[in-house]
Amino acid sequence: MLHRCCLVLLASVALTVVAAPAENATAPKALQPVATEQLTIYFNHRPPYYHRNARGEWIGVRYNQLKAILELAGLQYRWQELSVNRILHQLTLSDGNHCSGGWFKTPEREAFAQFSLPFGPNEPATAIVRQEFFNGNSAMLSQLLISPDTRVLTKQGQYYGDYLEEAMKLYNVQRIEVTDEQQAIVHQIALKRGDLMFLNRAEAHYLLEQNPLLNERLNAVDLQDKAPIPDLHFMCNKAMPKALMDKLNDGIQRFREGQPNLAMPVN
């Protein structure tokens, strides 16, 4: 009888020892992080589109546009400031949900990123030049680029739209790529390190109005060319799920419906 009880007890212990690993093997599954739908929205400090107010809060024309779209889309998101080159790098990553708003769609960018619907057109282009280079407030693009000795400062990683890109090639100007922010490039024009640069119209006039000294030495020359104005998109990494992109596009459509001057394009 005692022998039989010992056998039963040993069998129970053996079952307990064998069962324990199976129970522990399932435990890590409950500890796995839950997938999140949060987007990281990258932006670059660029007045008047992204800048801080007196209280240190981010504001700006583009900031407000993107915020309205994201709220209408019902998406969870956070902002992160990065340089243009760092933003482009982040959008090549294969993990996480990364986006940045206000980009032109190009075949080169489509190779590593996906694009939302357009949320609006860009602004007309304006050139910033020294007054001795061109003393006027408006001009045809050909007047500014006619000489092959013209030095055009462009920001690395930035695409200026088909019209300006083709014109710089056509007139064979000296294109000098720099990594500085737009405000610093304006100063380089004043210091004669280049002859002109291109900016969006509101940005060009804003930067000169904020600096009276530069305003005395430089001109914002609005281009008279009837050039097509490219659309602006969110550019996101390809790993971002289709469901999130669909929600983002829904927010864009809602945003454009509330903007009477922004008719959705017909595909």
Side-chain angles (χ1 to χ4, degrees), residues 61-80:
V61 178
R62 188 81 70 241
Y63 178 90
N64 293 338
Q65 281 182 318
L66 303 188
K67 183 178 179 181
I69 291 169
L70 293 164
E71 296 294 335
L72 288 169
L75 290 165
Q76 301 177 42
Y77 63 94
R78 68 183 184 92
W79 300 96
Q80 185 171 345

Side-chain angles (χ1 to χ4, degrees), residues 117-138:
L117 293 173
F119 61 80
N122 195 35
E123 301 165 27
T126 290
I128 287 186
V129 305
R130 289 188 311 283
Q131 291 184 1
E132 63 266 28
F133 179 83
F134 184 87
N135 192 12
N137 297 320
S138 64

Side-chain angles (χ1 to χ4, degrees), residues 190-207:
L191 294 172
K192 300 185 179 182
R193 294 172 183 166
D195 298 310
L196 65 89
M197 65 181 294
F198 295 112
L199 290 172
N200 292 338
R201 185 161 297 175
E203 182 178 21
H205 290 279
Y206 175 89
L207 291 179

Side-chain angles (χ1 to χ4, degrees), residues 82-103:
L82 289 178
S83 67
V84 170
N85 285 339
R86 287 286 306 280
I87 290 173
L88 291 172
H89 169 72
Q90 289 298 110
L91 297 182
T92 66
L93 299 181
S94 58
D95 61 332
N97 305 314
H98 308 281
C99 291
S100 183
W103 295 80

Side-chain angles (χ1 to χ4, degrees), residues 100-120 122 159-162 165 229-236 245 249 265 267:
S100 183
W103 295 80
F104 298 153
K105 183 193 290 188
T106 69
E108 293 77 14
R109 290 171 178 171
E110 286 184 289
F112 64 84
Q114 57 179 321
F115 286 81
S116 71
L117 293 173
F119 61 80
N122 195 35
Y159 187 77
Y160 288 81
D162 293 345
E165 294 284 348
I229 299 177
D231 285 318
L232 299 174
H233 305 256
F234 279 86
M235 182 165 60
C236 305
M245 184 60 79
N249 283 331
N267 293 327

Side-chain angles (χ1 to χ4, degrees), residues 1 29 31-32 46 77 108 112 125 154 181 208 253:
M1 185 69 173
K29 293 183 180 179
L31 301 176
Q32 295 297 318
R46 186 178 175 181
Y77 63 94
E108 293 77 14
F112 64 84
T154 59
E181 300 302 338
L208 293 190
Q253 288 181 312

